[in-house]
Amino acid sequence: MRRVLLAALPLVAVLAACGGDDDDAASSEPGVVVVDDNTFKPKTVEVGVGDTVTWRFEGQSAHNVTFEDDEASDLMKDGEYERTFDEAGGFDYVCTVHPGMTGSVKVSDSAAP
């Protein structure tokens, strides 16, 4: 039994390293959200007042980015959509085509103490 446990330890370590949910993994580019196969990556992006966020569409399905104030991108499979945020706060958005596909932009006032 001890041999079985010792033999299984490396496998457990490898599986643990491969596991995890990377839906909130940061984009390699600040202010960029990748729209890919029913996910926004990262789900939450943080920027400062006056910054622009870019949504890059890369997947098999068409998606959109729609905010509560009704500003929205076109339905897209590729290309980019940009929005500049001129005030601090939280801005939630959804893909209206795919229920449950949600994201948010947190905008901080960099001049605040």
Side-chain angles (χ1 to χ4, degrees):
M1 179 67 156
R2 185 175 177 182
R3 284 185 184 167
V4 172
L5 289 176
L6 289 175
L9 283 177
L11 179 60
V12 170
V14 168
L15 291 175
C18 291
D21 185 317
D22 65 345
D23 282 345
D24 283 329
S27 169
S28 60
E29 300 174 71
V32 174
V33 177
V34 175
V35 184
D36 183 22
D37 298 327
N38 300 343
T39 62
F40 293 115
K41 295 179 185 178
K43 287 181 76 82
T44 301
V45 64
E46 296 183 24
V47 297
V49 170
D51 288 345
T52 299
V53 175
T54 301
W55 286 264
R56 186 172 298 139
F57 293 78
E58 304 175 348
Q60 299 302 312
S61 300
H63 302 283
N64 62 17
V65 174
T66 304
F67 289 88
E68 291 177 0
D69 64 4
D70 291 329
E71 183 173 329
S73 72
D74 292 332
L75 192 60
M76 305 168 70
K77 286 177 85 173
D78 56 21
E80 294 182 345
Y81 166 71
E82 294 183 338
R83 180 173 176 172
T84 301
F85 293 86
D86 295 325
E87 61 184 55
F91 301 87
D92 295 331
Y93 59 90
V94 300
C95 172
T96 59
V97 178
H98 299 98
M101 190 174 167
T102 63
S104 65
V105 177
K106 293 183 180 180
V107 182
S108 63
D109 185 354
S110 57

